[in-house]
Amino acid sequence: MDIAVIGSNMVDLITYIDRMPAEGETLEAPDFKMGCGGKGANQAVAAARLGSEVLMVTRVGTDIFADNTVSNFEKNGIDTRYVMRTEGSSGVAPIFVDAESHNSILIIKGANAQLSSADIDSAAADIAQCKLIVLQLEVPLETVYAAIRFGKKHDIPVLLNPAPAQPNLVLSDVKDCEYFMPNESELSLLTGMPVDTLDDVRNAASALLEAGMKNVIVTLGSRGVLWMADGVDELLPAFDVQPRDTTGAGDAFIGCFSHYVVETGDVRLALEKANRYAADSVTKLGTQTSYATAEEFIKL
């Protein structure tokens, strides 16, 4: 097994809008789509579509969305032995995408809030065979910390995407991650520092390196991606594309990076591939539906 994704799944309820309604106002929206999402699931699907063997450790509810989520994992070739059921609602994410392709997202964690360190223990033998552990913050923080400790104990590199940003994240509990991947707003929230200019971003990323992080990789949207590590300070420019829907682009980036860093061990190459993969995803509507397969990506 290549990658263990320990994290969330959601049902995306995507409404395409011209603008958000004012308080008390009702507007007609031009389009609506429903799909499978959640940061953990998105990252797992992106990596699997590119050819990685992916083990998913997550929880779904007992509602009408759960079977569809499991089926979607299986359709994408993801190992679902540790997709567990919790009484009640699955995770749900209402998403609003405006005419300029900007998105606003609400998340209801549902069953994701019940993913625990005991679930990691139940999957321990199989997670220990993986080459990378991928984490996000749509599940309880203690579960994230437990997964990082597991990775350190078993000498498995860990990638943490600290999203959605949580100001109560304890940096000393996540410093053992090999790859720490915030976007610029998450970087600002976690460090309490501005990110208005590239120098600001560098200063904030440097603060994370001083806190013990090994590789700080900051996704900056149209400004590209900044990689900082011991002796490394490199800005990879973004690809120039016409965006239609930016939902899930960060997850596309992380899933692709995870695939290529496991396959090649080359961080810079993995960043270049991830940059291109994420750029392609925003030219298409939807979240996982916008992620290219390995064959499609080769053609790019």
Side-chain angles (χ1 to χ4, degrees):
M1 195 65 65
D2 296 319
I3 299 168
V5 178
I6 303 172
S8 61
N9 69 88
M10 298 277 176
V11 176
D12 286 345
L13 305 173
I14 307 170
T15 303
Y16 294 92
I17 60 175
D18 296 318
R19 65 174 177 84
M20 290 293 283
E23 182 179 354
E25 181 183 21
T26 300
L27 292 175
E28 181 179 350
D31 201 5
F32 170 83
K33 294 186 184 298
M34 185 171 73
C36 293
K39 291 185 179 298
N42 291 344
Q43 293 163 19
V45 166
R49 286 194 178 169
L50 289 168
S52 286
E53 293 182 347
V54 179
L55 176 72
M56 188 75 204
V57 181
T58 191
R59 282 194 172 271
V60 297
T62 51
D63 52 18
I64 61 173
F65 298 128
D67 289 341
N68 187 56
T69 295
V70 175
S71 176
N72 182 65
F73 283 141
E74 292 171 343
K75 182 178 69 176
N76 283 284
I78 293 169
D79 189 327
T80 60
R81 285 175 292 157
Y82 301 104
V83 177
M84 295 156 283
R85 304 268 181 166
T86 293
E87 188 68 31
S89 172
S90 297
V92 178
I95 301 171
F96 304 90
V97 182
D98 70 16
E100 280 74 47
S101 299
H102 301 133
N103 61 65
S104 301
I105 304 174
L106 298 169
I107 64 167
I108 299 92
K109 285 185 177 179
N112 293 294
Q114 303 305 315
L115 190 70
S116 70
S117 57
D119 296 326
I120 296 172
D121 293 340
S122 70
D126 291 294
I127 298 172
Q129 302 304 312
C130 294
K131 301 168 187 172
L132 178 70
I133 294 171
V134 177
L135 307 168
Q136 325 76 35
L137 300 183
E138 288 179 334
V139 297
L141 282 180
E142 183 47 50
T143 307
V144 173
Y145 299 152
I148 294 168
R149 292 192 297 268
F150 184 96
K152 183 178 182 181
K153 177 181 178 180
H154 293 275
D155 198 27
I156 304 169
V158 175
L159 184 160
L160 175 59
N161 170 217
Q166 296 192 27
N168 56 338
L169 183 74
V170 180
L171 293 182
S172 61
D173 285 334
V174 300
K175 65 180 177 59
D176 290 320
C177 294
E178 186 71 23
Y179 309 104
F180 192 78
M181 287 195 172
N183 65 21
E184 52 201 306
S185 64
E186 292 152 3
L187 177 66
S188 180
L189 183 66
L190 291 169
T191 62
M193 299 172 69
V195 291
D196 300 318
T197 68
L198 285 174
D199 283 341
D200 288 339
V201 174
R202 285 188 169 93
N203 290 335
S206 294
L208 292 179
L209 292 176
E210 291 169 6
M213 307 297 179
K214 298 177 181 65
N215 292 276
V216 178
I217 297 166
V218 187
T219 52
L220 300 168
S222 61
R223 292 194 285 180
V225 57
L226 177 69
W227 173 30
M228 293 189 68
D230 185 18
V232 178
D233 180 345
E234 184 169 2
L235 178 70
L236 285 75
F239 284 84
D240 185 17
V241 297
Q242 184 62 45
R244 296 180 66 199
D245 184 354
T246 59
T247 310
D251 296 331
F253 182 96
I254 289 167
C256 182
F257 174 87
S258 299
H259 168 75
Y260 281 103
V261 82
V262 167
E263 182 178 72
T264 69
D266 186 331
V267 174
R268 194 185 190 287
L269 174 65
L271 288 172
E272 290 175 351
K273 297 283 191 181
N275 227 5
R276 185 68 187 90
Y277 191 82
D280 176 65
S281 77
V282 306
T283 66
K284 294 172 270 188
L285 296 180
T287 307
Q288 294 177 17
T289 54
S290 71
Y291 298 167
T293 63
E295 293 76 15
E296 292 166 341
F297 191 45
I298 288 170
K299 293 178 182 178
L300 293 174

